[in-house]
Amino acid sequence: MYVSAPETNPRVETVVVVDLGSEHSRLIARNVRESRVYSEVVSPGALLKRLRSSSVKGVIFSAGPGAGEDRSVSSAIELLVSSNTPALWVSCSDSTESLPDGFRFIGSALDTPIGAVADGQDRRFAVQFQPEALSSDSGVDIIRSFLFSVCKCSESWTPAFAIEQSIKDIRERVGSSKALLALSGGVDSSVAAVLVHRAIGDQLTCVFVDTGLQRKGEVEQVLSTIRDTFGVRLVHVDAQERFLRRLDGVSDPEKKRVIIGNEFIRVFDEEAEKLGDVEYLVQGTLYSDVIESSKDAGSAPKVKSHHNVGGLPDVMRLKLIEPFRYLFKDEVRRIGRELGLSDAVINRHPFPGPGLAVRIIGPVTREALSIVREADAIVIEEIKRAGLYDDIWQAFAVLTNTRTVGVVGDERTYSSVVAVRAVHSEDGMTADWVRLPHDLMEVISDRIVNEVPGVSRVVYDITSKPPSTIEWE
Ligand code: XMP
């Protein structure tokens, strides 16, 4: 049977952020967590359930336009009054917004980006920020005063604490059963593997499906880090042939994705069968995925449905363990560091599930894979050498399906064009192309045409997202 993880996190002192249609709710929750107080974003409807928990020390209403006049908000506030929980009403707007009953402004400073700070009765406060002031020192100070002076929180939410708590939870849930994890080599699944292994040791088996679509050196790195360094039980399935055969002659990007997703499930399923009586599946689902796909997110806009390794739990009927269900990506990174994973793993650029297959325009062949893999390795190596790797969200090479004329010595050539892409992004939803230094672009281009056979031209992608996507397919 499919059982999802519990929705509340009862063990930690929590300050709840109630999303009232503001796009800043998540940022507020992050600000709270950066002050080492645990925070969750909930809808007004879910507040009651949360307030029943004694671990809730305070509530921050994150108000969107007109929230003060919204009738559904008043019942949330009544609840709050009856439970005598301290509250901070935060609206982020350039124009003055009205407040609901029970809150009042008592002063304003029109010449500062924080338009009005107010003190209310019964530990209820309201503040209006200009949007950019929310993350400023004064914005953070206001949130901190609320957390520590009003709610009397302690700074308990640290990576070490999160690990300890998570280990306890996992041990309690899993008992003596077995768990399985699909290791991709990405940050989330690597950190999950090490964390869950710490909790239940060899009751966890990781399955690493080698699709043949990984970046250069990635397979070796995953094996040496997770298996050799951390001693995690790991099954390495060499499925390269299977994937190549299935992808033979397929050019359409969505078909490639479906084929890879299905084949992945088939391989993974076979391995699970071999292991027998596995009860749990570990997934690296992040809090941002939960907020995005949950109705609980109230009126925050749904931006994208996330694409994990398609539908595993439904197929396998395993119970889910999602140790990062309450965590943001940067918190997972911090936990990974605390667990001893290297920066090479932690700071690694994101990589799509279907791998290099969606970085080859046209059919996936051995030759195409070799070109794009080598070109990609050069891009990454040079960007690292220039000290820019950690400032960039993603950088990579794409093998286009265009061939152009070149000249080598006296010979005319007619070979492939490789495109280089590098983007800045916060979360992959939007992205801006990186203004790489020209000298660096020159080195990358020279090396690719000289070192990668079959490439005679390199171009740089100067489009942002939107209208382009980050990947070419
Ligand atoms: P796009 O190309 O949609 O990419 O702008 C946004 C982010 O998602 C990654 N991406 C994928 N990840 N499976 C994944 O797991 C996919 O099919 C997939 N397509 C894109 C992409 O690398 C970028 O970080």
Side-chain angles (χ1 to χ4, degrees):
M1 226 210 358
Y2 181 119
V3 180
S4 61
E7 280 302 324
T8 43
N9 195 343
R11 294 191 205 238
V12 223
E13 274 188 4
T14 303
V15 167
V16 167
V17 175
V18 183
D19 177 29
L20 303 174
S22 162
E23 56 184 299
H24 299 101
S25 307
R26 263 204 262 175
L27 182 59
I28 295 173
R30 288 179 94 111
N31 282 356
V32 173
R33 287 175 176 212
E34 269 161 26
S35 299
R36 301 190 158 192
V37 175
Y38 181 72
S39 179
E40 286 177 27
V41 180
V42 304
S43 67
L47 184 60
L48 174 61
K49 206 167 77 185
R50 296 300 199 280
L51 286 178
R52 284 204 196 110
S53 160
S54 58
S55 59
V56 173
K57 295 287 173 213
V59 172
I60 298 178
F61 288 97
S62 165
E69 287 130 40
D70 184 341
R71 288 189 175 279
S72 71
V73 170
S74 34
S75 50
I77 291 177
E78 274 169 31
L79 266 175
L80 201 78
V81 174
S82 60
S83 66
N84 194 28
T85 311
L88 178 67
W89 178 275
V90 175
S91 59
C92 291
S93 165
D94 291 329
S95 55
T96 307
E97 294 276 343
S98 63
L99 283 167
D101 290 345
F103 290 82
R104 65 192 168 91
F105 286 124
I106 58 159
S108 68
L110 294 175
D111 53 343
T112 72
I114 297 172
V117 181
D119 189 352
Q121 302 156 345
D122 302 329
R123 299 193 295 168
R124 286 196 291 284
F125 303 83
V127 55
Q128 180 165 343
F129 295 106
Q130 281 190 359
E132 62 280 5
L134 191 57
S135 303
S136 68
D137 287 349
S138 342
V140 170
D141 280 350
I142 287 175
I143 303 248
R144 287 180 65 85
S145 305
F146 177 68
L147 299 177
F148 301 117
S149 307
V150 181
C151 303
K152 311 281 185 219
C153 291
S154 50
E155 297 188 36
S156 56
W157 182 248
T158 59
F161 181 84
I163 291 169
E164 190 192 322
Q165 191 206 13
S166 193
I167 286 177
K168 244 189 259 167
D169 284 346
I170 295 166
R171 279 191 189 143
E172 260 171 40
R173 271 198 81 202
V174 176
S176 57
S177 306
K178 285 191 201 164
L180 199 59
L181 181 150
L183 191 67
S184 70
V187 182
D188 306 337
S189 74
S190 301
V191 179
V194 175
L195 176 68
V196 177
H197 176 256
R198 254 216 203 169
I200 58 169
D202 281 353
Q203 286 163 257
L204 170 74
T205 304
C206 292
V207 175
F208 177 67
V209 179
D210 184 352
T211 58
L213 306 169
Q214 286 92 353
R215 288 167 284 194
K216 189 171 181 178
E218 193 161 15
V219 177
E220 296 75 11
Q221 196 197 42
V222 170
L223 296 181
S224 82
T225 307
I226 305 298
R227 188 179 61 193
D228 304 341
T229 310
F230 286 93
V232 177
R233 235 173 110 159
L234 192 152
V235 180
H236 169 211
V237 191
D238 182 352
Q240 299 194 25
E241 284 301 323
R242 288 176 66 158
F243 278 88
L244 266 184
R245 228 179 307 126
R246 297 259 177 199
L247 286 167
D248 189 27
V250 178
S251 294
D252 180 79
E254 285 314 304
K255 282 199 185 127
K256 286 181 187 172
R257 279 195 170 79
V258 170
I259 289 171
I260 293 166
N262 288 344
E263 192 60 17
F264 189 95
I265 290 169
R266 232 171 270 140
V267 175
F268 192 75
D269 223 357
E270 287 169 16
E271 294 307 316
E273 285 279 301
K274 286 185 205 162
L275 289 170
D277 72 340
V278 173
E279 201 177 334
Y280 290 92
L281 180 75
V282 182
Q283 282 200 328
T285 317
L286 297 178
Y287 193 44
S288 45
D289 303 328
V290 176
I291 296 180
E292 261 149 38
S293 54
S294 157
K295 292 192 191 79
D296 217 27
S299 36
K302 185 169 175 171
V303 190
K304 139 183 154 179
S305 56
H306 66 110
H307 22 210
N308 252 337
V309 203
L312 280 175
D314 286 339
V315 171
M316 306 199 45
R317 306 193 168 277
L318 294 170
K319 296 174 197 166
L320 281 188
I321 295 180
E322 297 175 308
F324 309 142
R325 202 178 162 73
Y326 303 107
L327 302 182
F328 291 109
K329 184 105 185 169
D330 50 338
E331 291 171 322
V332 172
R333 291 204 166 104
R334 259 178 262 150
I335 284 178
R337 255 179 231 120
E338 180 84 21
L339 287 166
L341 278 153
S342 67
D343 279 350
V345 177
I346 301 287
N347 297 336
R348 182 154 237 207
H349 288 176
F351 189 59
L356 296 177
V358 290
R359 292 185 179 167
I360 293 168
I361 314 304
V364 179
T365 61
R366 251 178 239 288
E367 191 199 355
L369 277 169
S370 161
I371 293 176
V372 77
R373 184 176 284 127
E374 291 305 319
D376 185 73
I378 291 171
V379 171
I380 297 303
E381 199 180 309
E382 291 303 331
I383 283 180
K384 279 188 176 162
R385 203 196 304 276
L388 296 174
Y389 186 82
D390 290 343
D391 301 331
I392 290 174
W393 168 264
Q394 251 174 313
F396 55 90
V398 175
L399 177 60
T400 73
N401 55 352
T402 298
R403 291 204 290 167
T404 64
V405 175
V407 53
V408 177
D410 292 338
E411 296 272 314
R412 175 187 181 279
T413 59
Y414 188 55
S415 44
S416 296
V417 177
V418 159
V420 175
R421 181 129 172 89
V423 293
H424 289 306
S425 176
E426 284 295 320
D427 50 15
M429 309 284 188
T430 60
D432 190 18
W433 63 279
V434 179
R435 277 63 173 170
L436 288 181
H438 290 177
D439 292 351
L440 173 59
M441 292 211 254
E442 185 181 357
V443 175
I444 290 174
S445 165
D446 281 352
R447 281 197 58 196
I448 292 176
V449 288
N450 286 317
E451 295 174 31
V452 185
V455 181
S456 59
R457 194 177 296 268
V458 175
V459 296
Y460 189 60
D461 184 346
I462 53 167
T463 35
S464 290
K465 174 182 180 176
S468 290
T469 49
I470 294 177
E471 303 292 342
W472 274 38
E473 287 203 331

